[in-house]
Amino acid sequence: MAIAVTDAVRMIEAAEKSNKKLFVVKQNRFNPPVHFVKKLLEERKLGRIINFQLNCFWNRPAEYYKNSWHGTKELDGGILYTHSAISLIYYIGSWEMLLL
């Protein structure tokens, strides 16, 4: 939602003050490959996980940042925040489950 906790708190306060809804979108959780891996892990079909690597090949060309609501290249946090590869890891399974 935000890179800094203080920014997230300000966003929540602004939404509450204006009686608006504030949402965080995690659209990549609906991708078929994500569901596939999540199911494999939940069913323990991959055995004991001792290491994993997540490669994200998404990018943001300069054209993307021409829309002001997209943020800026310098301040949007990069791929881990905007598309949230870390969020996918948490969605697929908790760290504890991955390491069992």
Side-chain angles (χ1 to χ4, degrees):
M1 180 162 105
I3 295 172
V5 173
T6 54
D7 291 338
V9 169
R10 287 179 32 226
M11 291 166 69
I12 293 167
E13 289 172 349
E16 289 173 347
K17 183 178 179 182
S18 63
N19 199 29
K20 301 291 181 184
K21 301 282 186 199
L22 177 65
F23 295 93
V24 177
V25 177
K26 306 284 187 194
Q27 74 274 14
N28 292 303
R29 292 180 177 192
F30 296 98
N31 290 344
V34 172
H35 280 278
F36 177 71
V37 171
K38 181 175 175 63
K39 185 176 183 209
L40 289 175
L41 287 167
E42 288 174 345
E43 293 173 356
R44 304 263 187 224
K45 290 188 175 179
L46 299 177
R48 183 171 179 257
I49 306 296
I50 58 172
N51 190 13
F52 65 91
Q53 178 177 328
L54 175 66
N55 294 320
C56 292
F57 298 104
W58 302 314
N59 65 24
R60 296 287 171 91
E63 184 72 21
Y64 174 85
Y65 295 102
K66 289 185 178 179
N67 292 313
S68 63
W69 72 273
H70 287 157
T72 65
K73 187 174 183 177
E74 295 77 24
L75 297 176
D76 80 343
I79 190 95
L80 291 179
Y81 289 96
T82 56
H83 277 111
S84 198
I86 291 173
S87 171
L88 291 179
I89 292 170
Y90 278 106
Y91 172 70
I92 289 170
S94 70
W95 293 104
E96 294 84 13
M97 186 186 84
L98 290 173
L99 299 174
L100 290 178

mmCIF file with all atom_site columns, all heavy atoms in Angstrom, residues 7 11-12 14 19-20 26 33-34 46-47 55-56 63 70 81 100:
data_model
loop_
_atom_site.group_PDB
_atom_site.id
_atom_site.type_symbol
_atom_site.label_atom_id
_atom_site.label_alt_id
_atom_site.label_comp_id
_atom_site.label_asym_id
_atom_site.label_entity_id
_atom_site.label_seq_id
_atom_site.pdbx_PDB_ins_code
_atom_site.Cartn_x
_atom_site.Cartn_y
_atom_site.Cartn_z
_atom_site.occupancy
_atom_site.B_iso_or_equiv
_atom_site.pdbx_formal_charge
_atom_site.auth_seq_id
_atom_site.auth_comp_id
_atom_site.auth_asym_id
_atom_site.auth_atom_id
_atom_site.pdbx_PDB_model_num
ATOM 1   N N   . ASP A 1 7   ? 3.107   6.772   5.680   1.00 0.00 ? 7   ASP A N   1
ATOM 2   C CA  . ASP A 1 7   ? 2.285   7.091   4.505   1.00 0.00 ? 7   ASP A CA  1
ATOM 3   C C   . ASP A 1 7   ? 1.014   6.249   4.488   1.00 0.00 ? 7   ASP A C   1
ATOM 4   O O   . ASP A 1 7   ? -0.069  6.746   4.166   1.00 0.00 ? 7   ASP A O   1
ATOM 5   C CB  . ASP A 1 7   ? 3.066   6.870   3.220   1.00 0.00 ? 7   ASP A CB  1
ATOM 6   C CG  . ASP A 1 7   ? 4.190   7.876   3.043   1.00 0.00 ? 7   ASP A CG  1
ATOM 7   O OD1 . ASP A 1 7   ? 4.127   8.963   3.651   1.00 0.00 ? 7   ASP A OD1 1
ATOM 8   O OD2 . ASP A 1 7   ? 5.129   7.564   2.288   1.00 0.00 ? 7   ASP A OD2 1
ATOM 9   N N   . MET A 1 11  ? -2.891  7.530   4.601   1.00 0.00 ? 11  MET A N   1
ATOM 10  C CA  . MET A 1 11  ? -3.884  7.119   3.609   1.00 0.00 ? 11  MET A CA  1
ATOM 11  C C   . MET A 1 11  ? -5.148  6.605   4.293   1.00 0.00 ? 11  MET A C   1
ATOM 12  O O   . MET A 1 11  ? -6.264  6.950   3.903   1.00 0.00 ? 11  MET A O   1
ATOM 13  C CB  . MET A 1 11  ? -3.294  6.036   2.697   1.00 0.00 ? 11  MET A CB  1
ATOM 14  C CG  . MET A 1 11  ? -2.200  6.537   1.782   1.00 0.00 ? 11  MET A CG  1
ATOM 15  S SD  . MET A 1 11  ? -1.248  5.206   1.013   1.00 0.00 ? 11  MET A SD  1
ATOM 16  C CE  . MET A 1 11  ? -2.454  4.506   -0.096  1.00 0.00 ? 11  MET A CE  1
ATOM 17  N N   . ILE A 1 12  ? -4.966  5.781   5.308   1.00 0.00 ? 12  ILE A N   1
ATOM 18  C CA  . ILE A 1 12  ? -6.109  5.234   6.045   1.00 0.00 ? 12  ILE A CA  1
ATOM 19  C C   . ILE A 1 12  ? -6.891  6.362   6.730   1.00 0.00 ? 12  ILE A C   1
ATOM 20  O O   . ILE A 1 12  ? -8.122  6.401   6.674   1.00 0.00 ? 12  ILE A O   1
ATOM 21  C CB  . ILE A 1 12  ? -5.637  4.187   7.068   1.00 0.00 ? 12  ILE A CB  1
ATOM 22  C CG1 . ILE A 1 12  ? -5.080  2.966   6.329   1.00 0.00 ? 12  ILE A CG1 1
ATOM 23  C CG2 . ILE A 1 12  ? -6.766  3.793   8.018   1.00 0.00 ? 12  ILE A CG2 1
ATOM 24  C CD1 . ILE A 1 12  ? -4.301  2.012   7.217   1.00 0.00 ? 12  ILE A CD1 1
ATOM 25  N N   . ALA A 1 14  ? -7.033  9.520   5.874   1.00 0.00 ? 14  ALA A N   1
ATOM 26  C CA  . ALA A 1 14  ? -7.712  10.331  4.856   1.00 0.00 ? 14  ALA A CA  1
ATOM 27  C C   . ALA A 1 14  ? -8.980  9.636   4.369   1.00 0.00 ? 14  ALA A C   1
ATOM 28  O O   . ALA A 1 14  ? -10.022 10.275  4.179   1.00 0.00 ? 14  ALA A O   1
ATOM 29  C CB  . ALA A 1 14  ? -6.775  10.621  3.696   1.00 0.00 ? 14  ALA A CB  1
ATOM 30  N N   . ASN A 1 19  ? -14.816 9.450   4.582   1.00 0.00 ? 19  ASN A N   1
ATOM 31  C CA  . ASN A 1 19  ? -15.823 8.396   4.506   1.00 0.00 ? 19  ASN A CA  1
ATOM 32  C C   . ASN A 1 19  ? -15.744 7.644   3.170   1.00 0.00 ? 19  ASN A C   1
ATOM 33  O O   . ASN A 1 19  ? -16.758 7.350   2.552   1.00 0.00 ? 19  ASN A O   1
ATOM 34  C CB  . ASN A 1 19  ? -17.232 8.947   4.744   1.00 0.00 ? 19  ASN A CB  1
ATOM 35  C CG  . ASN A 1 19  ? -18.207 7.856   5.129   1.00 0.00 ? 19  ASN A CG  1
ATOM 36  O OD1 . ASN A 1 19  ? -17.823 6.857   5.722   1.00 0.00 ? 19  ASN A OD1 1
ATOM 37  N ND2 . ASN A 1 19  ? -19.467 8.042   4.781   1.00 0.00 ? 19  ASN A ND2 1
ATOM 38  N N   . LYS A 1 20  ? -14.525 7.360   2.751   1.00 0.00 ? 20  LYS A N   1
ATOM 39  C CA  . LYS A 1 20  ? -14.278 6.635   1.503   1.00 0.00 ? 20  LYS A CA  1
ATOM 40  C C   . LYS A 1 20  ? -13.672 5.271   1.815   1.00 0.00 ? 20  LYS A C   1
ATOM 41  O O   . LYS A 1 20  ? -13.093 5.065   2.869   1.00 0.00 ? 20  LYS A O   1
ATOM 42  C CB  . LYS A 1 20  ? -13.317 7.404   0.590   1.00 0.00 ? 20  LYS A CB  1
ATOM 43  C CG  . LYS A 1 20  ? -13.791 8.776   0.199   1.00 0.00 ? 20  LYS A CG  1
ATOM 44  C CD  . LYS A 1 20  ? -14.977 8.687   -0.732  1.00 0.00 ? 20  LYS A CD  1
ATOM 45  C CE  . LYS A 1 20  ? -15.412 10.084  -1.123  1.00 0.00 ? 20  LYS A CE  1
ATOM 46  N NZ  . LYS A 1 20  ? -16.596 10.083  -1.933  1.00 0.00 ? 20  LYS A NZ  1
ATOM 47  N N   . LYS A 1 26  ? -4.418  -6.883  -5.195  1.00 0.00 ? 26  LYS A N   1
ATOM 48  C CA  . LYS A 1 26  ? -3.422  -7.956  -5.340  1.00 0.00 ? 26  LYS A CA  1
ATOM 49  C C   . LYS A 1 26  ? -3.847  -8.837  -6.509  1.00 0.00 ? 26  LYS A C   1
ATOM 50  O O   . LYS A 1 26  ? -4.080  -10.028 -6.370  1.00 0.00 ? 26  LYS A O   1
ATOM 51  C CB  . LYS A 1 26  ? -3.332  -8.779  -4.053  1.00 0.00 ? 26  LYS A CB  1
ATOM 52  C CG  . LYS A 1 26  ? -3.073  -7.971  -2.816  1.00 0.00 ? 26  LYS A CG  1
ATOM 53  C CD  . LYS A 1 26  ? -1.638  -7.541  -2.752  1.00 0.00 ? 26  LYS A CD  1
ATOM 54  C CE  . LYS A 1 26  ? -1.376  -6.874  -1.410  1.00 0.00 ? 26  LYS A CE  1
ATOM 55  N NZ  . LYS A 1 26  ? -0.155  -6.173  -1.372  1.00 0.00 ? 26  LYS A NZ  1
ATOM 56  N N   . PRO A 1 33  ? -0.901  -19.668 -12.825 1.00 0.00 ? 33  PRO A N   1
ATOM 57  C CA  . PRO A 1 33  ? 0.318   -20.297 -12.302 1.00 0.00 ? 33  PRO A CA  1
ATOM 58  C C   . PRO A 1 33  ? 0.475   -20.130 -10.788 1.00 0.00 ? 33  PRO A C   1
ATOM 59  O O   . PRO A 1 33  ? 0.993   -21.023 -10.115 1.00 0.00 ? 33  PRO A O   1
ATOM 60  C CB  . PRO A 1 33  ? 1.458   -19.581 -13.033 1.00 0.00 ? 33  PRO A CB  1
ATOM 61  C CG  . PRO A 1 33  ? 0.830   -19.014 -14.261 1.00 0.00 ? 33  PRO A CG  1
ATOM 62  C CD  . PRO A 1 33  ? -0.583  -18.692 -13.876 1.00 0.00 ? 33  PRO A CD  1
ATOM 63  N N   . VAL A 1 34  ? -0.005  -19.027 -10.270 1.00 0.00 ? 34  VAL A N   1
ATOM 64  C CA  . VAL A 1 34  ? 0.068   -18.792 -8.820  1.00 0.00 ? 34  VAL A CA  1
ATOM 65  C C   . VAL A 1 34  ? -0.820  -19.793 -8.094  1.00 0.00 ? 34  VAL A C   1
ATOM 66  O O   . VAL A 1 34  ? -0.408  -20.407 -7.104  1.00 0.00 ? 34  VAL A O   1
ATOM 67  C CB  . VAL A 1 34  ? -0.324  -17.336 -8.482  1.00 0.00 ? 34  VAL A CB  1
ATOM 68  C CG1 . VAL A 1 34  ? -0.453  -17.138 -6.982  1.00 0.00 ? 34  VAL A CG1 1
ATOM 69  C CG2 . VAL A 1 34  ? 0.691   -16.371 -9.080  1.00 0.00 ? 34  VAL A CG2 1
ATOM 70  N N   . LEU A 1 46  ? 5.411   -31.167 -3.318  1.00 0.00 ? 46  LEU A N   1
ATOM 71  C CA  . LEU A 1 46  ? 6.769   -30.781 -3.701  1.00 0.00 ? 46  LEU A CA  1
ATOM 72  C C   . LEU A 1 46  ? 7.827   -31.238 -2.703  1.00 0.00 ? 46  LEU A C   1
ATOM 73  O O   . LEU A 1 46  ? 9.001   -30.957 -2.874  1.00 0.00 ? 46  LEU A O   1
ATOM 74  C CB  . LEU A 1 46  ? 6.856   -29.254 -3.882  1.00 0.00 ? 46  LEU A CB  1
ATOM 75  C CG  . LEU A 1 46  ? 5.946   -28.667 -4.957  1.00 0.00 ? 46  LEU A CG  1
ATOM 76  C CD1 . LEU A 1 46  ? 6.075   -27.146 -4.984  1.00 0.00 ? 46  LEU A CD1 1
ATOM 77  C CD2 . LEU A 1 46  ? 6.256   -29.256 -6.317  1.00 0.00 ? 46  LEU A CD2 1
ATOM 78  N N   . GLY A 1 47  ? 7.390   -31.936 -1.681  1.00 0.00 ? 47  GLY A N   1
ATOM 79  C CA  . GLY A 1 47  ? 8.342   -32.381 -0.671  1.00 0.00 ? 47  GLY A CA  1
ATOM 80  C C   . GLY A 1 47  ? 8.762   -31.240 0.240   1.00 0.00 ? 47  GLY A C   1
ATOM 81  O O   . GLY A 1 47  ? 8.130   -30.187 0.284   1.00 0.00 ? 47  GLY A O   1
ATOM 82  N N   . ASN A 1 55  ? 11.313  -15.422 -9.641  1.00 0.00 ? 55  ASN A N   1
ATOM 83  C CA  . ASN A 1 55  ? 11.744  -14.502 -10.696 1.00 0.00 ? 55  ASN A CA  1
ATOM 84  C C   . ASN A 1 55  ? 10.527  -13.790 -11.252 1.00 0.00 ? 55  ASN A C   1
ATOM 85  O O   . ASN A 1 55  ? 9.569   -14.434 -11.664 1.00 0.00 ? 55  ASN A O   1
ATOM 86  C CB  . ASN A 1 55  ? 12.431  -15.262 -11.837 1.00 0.00 ? 55  ASN A CB  1
ATOM 87  C CG  . ASN A 1 55  ? 13.719  -15.897 -11.402 1.00 0.00 ? 55  ASN A CG  1
ATOM 88  O OD1 . ASN A 1 55  ? 14.487  -15.313 -10.653 1.00 0.00 ? 55  ASN A OD1 1
ATOM 89  N ND2 . ASN A 1 55  ? 13.954  -17.116 -11.838 1.00 0.00 ? 55  ASN A ND2 1
ATOM 90  N N   . CYS A 1 56  ? 10.566  -12.490 -11.256 1.00 0.00 ? 56  CYS A N   1
ATOM 91  C CA  . CYS A 1 56  ? 9.491   -11.685 -11.845 1.00 0.00 ? 56  CYS A CA  1
ATOM 92  C C   . CYS A 1 56  ? 10.061  -10.956 -13.047 1.00 0.00 ? 56  CYS A C   1
ATOM 93  O O   . CYS A 1 56  ? 11.041  -10.224 -12.914 1.00 0.00 ? 56  CYS A O   1
ATOM 94  C CB  . CYS A 1 56  ? 8.967   -10.672 -10.834 1.00 0.00 ? 56  CYS A CB  1
ATOM 95  S SG  . CYS A 1 56  ? 8.102   -11.434 -9.474  1.00 0.00 ? 56  CYS A SG  1
ATOM 96  N N   . GLU A 1 63  ? 6.649   4.973   -20.386 1.00 0.00 ? 63  GLU A N   1
ATOM 97  C CA  . GLU A 1 63  ? 5.266   5.306   -20.747 1.00 0.00 ? 63  GLU A CA  1
ATOM 98  C C   . GLU A 1 63  ? 4.296   5.082   -19.577 1.00 0.00 ? 63  GLU A C   1
ATOM 99  O O   . GLU A 1 63  ? 3.338   5.816   -19.387 1.00 0.00 ? 63  GLU A O   1
ATOM 100 C CB  . GLU A 1 63  ? 4.840   4.457   -21.959 1.00 0.00 ? 63  GLU A CB  1
ATOM 101 C CG  . GLU A 1 63  ? 3.472   4.750   -22.493 1.00 0.00 ? 63  GLU A CG  1
ATOM 102 C CD  . GLU A 1 63  ? 3.403   6.084   -23.228 1.00 0.00 ? 63  GLU A CD  1
ATOM 103 O OE1 . GLU A 1 63  ? 4.450   6.590   -23.674 1.00 0.00 ? 63  GLU A OE1 1
ATOM 104 O OE2 . GLU A 1 63  ? 2.289   6.614   -23.334 1.00 0.00 ? 63  GLU A OE2 1
ATOM 105 N N   . HIS A 1 70  ? 0.063   6.351   -11.217 1.00 0.00 ? 70  HIS A N   1
ATOM 106 C CA  . HIS A 1 70  ? 1.005   5.242   -11.157 1.00 0.00 ? 70  HIS A CA  1
ATOM 107 C C   . HIS A 1 70  ? 2.215   5.545   -10.284 1.00 0.00 ? 70  HIS A C   1
ATOM 108 O O   . HIS A 1 70  ? 3.029   4.669   -10.056 1.00 0.00 ? 70  HIS A O   1
ATOM 109 C CB  . HIS A 1 70  ? 1.504   4.874   -12.559 1.00 0.00 ? 70  HIS A CB  1
ATOM 110 C CG  . HIS A 1 70  ? 0.479   4.167   -13.377 1.00 0.00 ? 70  HIS A CG  1
ATOM 111 N ND1 . HIS A 1 70  ? 0.534   4.155   -14.754 1.00 0.00 ? 70  HIS A ND1 1
ATOM 112 C CD2 . HIS A 1 70  ? -0.614  3.451   -13.053 1.00 0.00 ? 70  HIS A CD2 1
ATOM 113 C CE1 . HIS A 1 70  ? -0.485  3.465   -15.232 1.00 0.00 ? 70  HIS A CE1 1
ATOM 114 N NE2 . HIS A 1 70  ? -1.196  3.027   -14.216 1.00 0.00 ? 70  HIS A NE2 1
ATOM 115 N N   . TYR A 1 81  ? 7.226   -3.769  -4.715  1.00 0.00 ? 81  TYR A N   1
ATOM 116 C CA  . TYR A 1 81  ? 6.094   -3.077  -4.110  1.00 0.00 ? 81  TYR A CA  1
ATOM 117 C C   . TYR A 1 81  ? 4.928   -2.947  -5.078  1.00 0.00 ? 81  TYR A C   1
ATOM 118 O O   . TYR A 1 81  ? 3.792   -3.108  -4.696  1.00 0.00 ? 81  TYR A O   1
ATOM 119 C CB  . TYR A 1 81  ? 6.514   -1.697  -3.615  1.00 0.00 ? 81  TYR A CB  1
ATOM 120 C CG  . TYR A 1 81  ? 7.397   -1.784  -2.410  1.00 0.00 ? 81  TYR A CG  1
ATOM 121 C CD1 . TYR A 1 81  ? 8.768   -1.743  -2.531  1.00 0.00 ? 81  TYR A CD1 1
ATOM 122 C CD2 . TYR A 1 81  ? 6.845   -1.947  -1.152  1.00 0.00 ? 81  TYR A CD2 1
ATOM 123 C CE1 . TYR A 1 81  ? 9.582   -1.847  -1.428  1.00 0.00 ? 81  TYR A CE1 1
ATOM 124 C CE2 . TYR A 1 81  ? 7.657   -2.060  -0.042  1.00 0.00 ? 81  TYR A CE2 1
ATOM 125 C CZ  . TYR A 1 81  ? 9.025   -2.001  -0.185  1.00 0.00 ? 81  TYR A CZ  1
ATOM 126 O OH  . TYR A 1 81  ? 9.819   -2.118  0.902   1.00 0.00 ? 81  TYR A OH  1
ATOM 127 N N   . LEU A 1 100 ? 8.671   -26.158 6.000   1.00 0.00 ? 100 LEU A N   1
ATOM 128 C CA  . LEU A 1 100 ? 8.427   -27.446 6.674   1.00 0.00 ? 100 LEU A CA  1
ATOM 129 C C   . LEU A 1 100 ? 8.836   -28.604 5.810   1.00 0.00 ? 100 LEU A C   1
ATOM 130 O O   . LEU A 1 100 ? 8.789   -28.596 4.631   1.00 0.00 ? 100 LEU A O   1
ATOM 131 C CB  . LEU A 1 100 ? 6.955   -27.575 7.048   1.00 0.00 ? 100 LEU A CB  1
ATOM 132 C CG  . LEU A 1 100 ? 6.483   -26.660 8.166   1.00 0.00 ? 100 LEU A CG  1
ATOM 133 C CD1 . LEU A 1 100 ? 4.981   -26.865 8.398   1.00 0.00 ? 100 LEU A CD1 1
ATOM 134 C CD2 . LEU A 1 100 ? 7.241   -26.890 9.438   1.00 0.00 ? 100 LEU A CD2 1
#
